[in-house]
Amino acid sequence: MKIRRISAATAVLAAGALVISACSGPDTASEIEEDTAVNVGWNQPFYSQNNLTSTGNATTNANVLYLTNAAFNYYDGDLALQQFSDFGTYEKVSDDPLTVKYTINEGVTWSDGTAVDAADMILYWGPQNDAFDNVEPEYDEEGNITNQDAIDAGVYFDGSSVAMTLVEEAPEVSDDGRSVTLVYTEPRSDWEVSFQPSPVAAHAVAKRALGIEDAAEGKQAIIDAFTNNDTEALSDIARVWNNDFNFTALPEDEELYLSSGAYVMSEYVENQYMTLTARDDYTWGPKPKVESITIRYSEDPLASVTALQNGEVDLIQPQSSVDVIETLEGLTDSGITYTAAPEGTFEHVDLIMNNGGPFDPATYGGDAEKARLVREAFLKAVPRDEIIEKLITPLQEDATTRDSFTVVPGSPTYDDVVANNGSDAFAEVDIDGAKALLEEAGVSTPIDVRFLYGKSNVRRANEYQLIAASVEQVGFNLIDGGDDNWGSLLTQTDTYDASLFGWQSTNTFALNSEANYVTGGLNNFGGYSNDDVDKWYKDMATADAEEEQALTTQIEAQLYEDAFGIPIFQFPGVVANREVLKGVSTIPLSPTIFWNYWEWEIAAADVLDGPTATEAPAEDTEE
């Protein structure tokens, strides 16, 4: 399962296993309360309808798509996977080979009235199956593609899924066009969360890529292109699939933002807000109770709190800070409630091993051990304890370092995994040890390291300063690569050597982390490759609980041995809302606060005195 990068305050992985109090299931019979609107504060604007691409794979996009795209299942408040049977069904037909049949119910449509069907499921499988790609982009130091002619002539889908690549033969499409059957070449323990309909409509892609106006004809053309491996057609489809569905304001062409779910985009003002309006014809999933949801964007956590206080938003999940908590505490008598608890997101530093930079063996004539020593020296100088003491402990007194790449602190296996994964070698900053490693490697200093992070994120900027000061003592010269567009730059590894962001889980399976660490994984930006790690993840697909823990420990020990990167801390989290908004809940998986949108309701509409859906909030003023 691919893992979604979070926006400017965070980004996404962990094996989220926290339990939150149960909420009731979706109610498909409820009535929408007319003229009701909920305003939600978020930290990064939406920018892509296609979150299956490496660029669009971000939480800010996933939040919106959860509201606008129907799916076969969802996680409830107890992190139990539940089916949306009103939308469709799925069943395991065989274990050997693993065979699964998915069926979308009759009557399910996109917001333009076109049926959601097998073509839309094929468009989920095909672009994420690596077998169709016959060319890859190459970048210069500024991140510009240097082989654009080859990309235009060949087939390159900017998406990848280990699970979908294991479905080597084209899925069988039923005669009625509403079912597909997938046959895997290897077992997958996470098969239930490995497949969904496409977030972009097949008939819209066919129209833009192949010039086919008729929806039914276009859908069949999409199926035929993948079934027959038609390179010419797939080249055009890939170009559209990769690029056309990225936007930062409401497009004139509604086919770029078609909805298969409860809400559809109705307004989007760049860098300000997006309004989603409930579909009148939606009957195949949880029926929302509020007519519209407006997501208002602000990078500033305190500005989000001010907006909540002023009634401009009703619900926020800002980056936690001492000022945020203190301000919210002072508002508890003003109709505002909040909860603070660790999130299912963790901060980490990753190193790039394939860009000709200081951590790449190619820089040292292919000497992998020399590059590994340089990476290890850098990681030993990352001041994790200082970061936690100065930035996290004020928010969470018992905060400690996170020492696992894949397991959430507090989960049943965390302590055992950490005790045996080799993380103790990085338990404390070791300046002398790091210097000794560079001396052993025989490299000269200073070593320039271009460091990517979210520039406007105050906590990240502070982390950068602490890391820069510490690694300088060893001989590394950290070059400030802070950029507010850091998420879209992660794939452009020629532009940086190390990155600082966070991971958040999308499911509870151990294979949730696979895309980060296997060779060629969608989220393996640094080009890390280890045959043993690849094999252990394959073994994990059929492992029992005891074997899974052993494999997890082996994988993590190898990541530490290879100096892949280093986890730092679990996010301290905070969720706040106006008391007039009822039904608010959160889970530690994406989409966090949005997971039960169908339970949201306004207790007293006349109390909701914030801006209307189309009004921009007033600018903050100092008092």
Side-chain angles (χ1 to χ4, degrees):
M1 181 68 177
K2 71 166 59 171
I3 300 164
R4 300 186 176 92
R5 294 196 305 278
I6 253 179
S7 59
T10 52
V12 248
L13 172 118
L18 302 178
V19 177
I20 296 176
S21 58
C23 293
S24 59
D27 179 7
T28 57
S30 64
E31 294 294 330
I32 296 175
E33 299 175 15
E34 293 185 2
D35 300 323
T36 53
V38 170
N39 290 268
V40 182
W42 198 257
N43 64 325
Q44 182 188 22
F46 174 96
Y47 62 88
S48 181
Q49 177 75 12
N50 190 359
N51 68 331
L52 300 183
T53 68
S54 63
T55 299
N57 182 28
T59 292
T60 190
N61 300 325
N63 291 340
V64 172
L65 295 175
Y66 186 77
L67 299 170
T68 62
N69 276 31
F72 286 107
N73 47 37
Y74 74 103
Y75 278 98
D76 67 14
D78 289 322
L79 298 190
L81 193 64
Q82 305 289 346
Q83 288 197 38
F84 277 139
S85 57
D86 289 325
F87 166 72
T89 58
Y90 54 89
E91 61 174 331
K92 184 192 292 186
V93 177
S94 170
D95 282 309
D96 187 18
L98 174 61
T99 305
V100 187
K101 182 178 181 179
Y102 291 85
T103 302
I104 296 175
N105 294 340
E106 189 172 1
V108 175
T109 67
W110 293 98
S111 49
D112 65 352
T114 303
V116 181
D117 56 23
D120 301 299
M121 292 187 279
I122 292 294
L123 195 58
Y124 186 94
W125 162 74
Q128 296 190 94
N129 187 317
D130 295 341
F132 290 106
D133 295 341
N134 57 28
V135 65
E136 292 186 6
E138 299 172 1
Y139 300 94
D140 61 21
E141 292 185 357
E142 284 73 41
N144 302 308
I145 295 178
T146 58
N147 62 334
Q148 190 62 57
D149 290 343
I151 295 295
D152 290 341
V155 178
Y156 172 69
F157 287 100
D158 184 26
S160 179
S161 163
V162 176
M164 292 300 94
T165 301
L166 291 176
V167 181
E168 295 182 356
E169 297 296 326
E172 179 184 349
V173 177
S174 64
D175 291 340
D176 64 6
R178 291 190 291 107
S179 299
V180 298
T181 301
L182 281 64
V183 180
Y184 291 80
T185 56
E186 297 177 15
R188 291 287 300 184
S189 59
D190 65 342
W191 64 267
E192 270 194 281
V193 293
S194 294
F195 186 71
Q196 298 288 351
S198 169
V200 297
H203 66 286
V205 173
K207 181 177 180 180
R208 300 180 74 86
L210 306 176
I212 301 175
E213 295 285 341
D214 181 76
E217 183 182 347
K219 285 172 175 289
Q220 189 59 51
I222 293 293
I223 294 173
D224 291 344
F226 285 104
T227 300
N228 301 325
N229 197 6
D230 183 341
T231 299
E232 183 177 356
L234 290 177
S235 178
D236 294 331
I237 291 169
R239 185 183 65 256
V240 169
W241 190 86
N242 292 341
N243 303 312
D244 285 22
F245 295 90
N246 300 327
F247 54 86
T248 57
L250 195 71
E252 293 183 4
D253 185 354
E254 69 172 15
E255 290 187 342
L256 293 176
Y257 57 92
L258 291 176
S259 160
S260 63
Y263 289 90
V264 63
M265 292 183 203
S266 55
E267 190 170 9
Y268 185 21
V269 178
E270 187 168 8
N271 294 323
Q272 295 187 45
Y273 64 88
M274 172 187 288
T275 296
L276 308 165
T277 302
R279 290 178 57 181
D280 294 333
D281 60 343
Y282 176 74
T283 59
W284 48 87
K287 192 76 172 180
K289 299 177 181 178
V290 296
E291 189 172 18
S292 69
I293 296 174
T294 295
I295 304 174
R296 301 188 181 277
Y297 300 110
S298 174
E299 296 277 4
D300 187 342
L302 278 175
S304 295
V305 176
T306 300
L308 184 70
Q309 181 182 13
N310 293 342
E312 295 165 0
V313 297
D314 309 300
L315 173 64
I316 59 174
Q317 190 179 27
Q319 185 178 90
S320 184
S321 70
V322 173
D323 290 339
V324 165
I325 297 297
E326 288 181 350
T327 303
L328 288 172
E329 182 64 31
L331 299 176
T332 54
D333 293 331
S334 304
I336 289 174
T337 183
Y338 79 95
T339 58
E343 295 180 1
T345 304
F346 77 93
E347 193 85 328
H348 63 100
V349 169
D350 285 355
L351 306 183
I352 306 302
M353 309 174 199
N354 63 351
N355 68 345
F359 306 125
D360 183 352
T363 300
Y364 311 103
D367 191 332
E369 176 60 13
K370 179 175 288 191
R372 191 198 69 79
L373 290 170
V374 175
R375 294 197 301 270
E376 184 178 353
F378 183 86
L379 296 176
K380 278 183 174 293
V382 175
R384 299 194 302 158
D385 283 335
E386 185 180 12
I387 289 171
I388 290 171
E389 177 186 355
K390 292 182 176 179
L391 304 179
I392 308 303
T393 302
L395 309 176
Q396 181 185 335
E397 291 184 0
D398 61 348
T400 60
T401 57
R402 168 163 169 155
D403 298 313
S404 169
F405 286 99
T406 66
V407 183
V408 170
S411 65
T413 62
Y414 179 80
D415 289 341
D416 287 341
V417 169
V418 167
N420 297 285
N421 67 359
S423 58
D424 55 339
F426 301 89
E428 298 179 353
V429 169
D430 185 0
I431 301 299
D432 291 338
K435 289 181 177 178
L437 289 171
L438 291 185
E439 183 176 350
E440 180 183 349
V443 297
S444 59
T445 58
I447 301 171
D448 288 342
V449 176
R450 299 166 297 173
F451 199 83
L452 177 66
Y453 66 97
K455 193 171 187 65
S456 294
N457 186 304
V458 176
R459 185 160 75 199
R460 291 258 163 77
N462 289 334
E463 288 179 68
Y464 166 77
Q465 295 296 335
L466 293 173
I467 294 172
S470 183
V471 300
E472 184 181 16
Q473 300 176 58
V474 177
F476 292 98
N477 174 41
L478 216 57
I479 298 173
D480 191 338
D483 195 308
D484 288 339
N485 296 315
W486 65 269
S488 62
L489 297 174
L490 285 172
T491 58
Q492 299 178 22
T493 55
D494 286 347
T495 65
Y496 68 99
D497 306 305
S499 61
L500 174 71
F501 61 101
W503 288 116
Q504 180 192 65
S505 297
T506 59
N507 65 68
T508 59
F509 293 88
L511 285 172
N512 188 40
S513 61
E514 181 180 36
N516 292 51
Y517 308 119
V518 297
T519 302
L522 181 72
N523 300 317
N524 182 357
F525 305 115
Y528 176 73
S529 180
N530 184 285
D531 291 342
D532 288 334
V533 169
D534 293 348
K535 178 183 180 300
W536 291 331
Y537 268 112
K538 284 188 176 182
D539 293 342
M540 191 178 285
T542 57
D544 60 25
E546 184 176 346
E547 293 169 332
E548 187 176 275
Q549 180 177 332
L551 289 167
T552 296
T553 304
Q554 290 174 242
I555 289 169
E556 295 208 6
Q558 194 65 58
L559 292 173
Y560 276 111
E561 173 65 24
D562 293 338
F564 171 90
I566 195 163
I568 305 177
F569 59 82
Q570 202 72 20
F571 271 48
V574 60
V575 174
N577 64 279
R578 300 178 71 209
E579 291 179 352
V580 294
L581 175 59
K582 303 298 183 182
V584 172
S585 176
T586 188
I587 58 175
L589 304 176
S590 176
T592 61
I593 58 174
F594 294 93
W595 83 266
N596 67 331
Y597 63 84
W598 56 85
E599 294 185 331
W600 294 358
E601 59 183 323
I602 303 302
D606 59 345
V607 179
L608 194 64
D609 56 1
T612 63
T614 56
E615 290 177 341
E619 294 184 1
D620 293 334
T621 57
E622 295 184 2
E623 295 185 3

